[in-house]
Amino acid sequence: KALVDKTLSGLMKSGEINKIYAKWFTSPIPPKNVNLNLPMNAQLQEAIKHPNDKGI
């Protein structure tokens, strides 16, 4: 749990989580280039700004 918490917290603080989210949820996904077109909602954006292990 500590390793996962540290890793996810690092992704959130660096902003890298936004690139990963965009890759899978707002960009074409190979091989069929399907785009889910699912922008990040305000609740998830807030959770990323203030990471904790309490849940949403």
Side-chain angles (χ1 to χ4, degrees):
K1 180 182 181 309
L3 176 61
V4 172
D5 286 351
K6 181 179 178 181
T7 302
L8 289 175
S9 180
L11 289 170
M12 291 176 188
K13 289 178 183 176
S14 72
E16 187 68 22
I17 194 76
N18 296 315
K19 293 177 189 175
I20 295 169
Y21 188 94
K23 177 181 178 179
W24 293 105
F25 295 102
T26 62
S27 301
I29 304 169
K32 295 184 179 182
N33 292 322
V34 174
N35 188 337
L36 300 176
N37 196 25
L38 186 63
M40 198 179 296
N41 66 29
Q43 190 176 16
L44 181 53
Q45 289 174 357
E46 189 64 24
I48 289 171
K49 286 180 189 176
H50 307 287
N52 64 65
D53 60 356
K54 297 177 184 176
I56 296 176

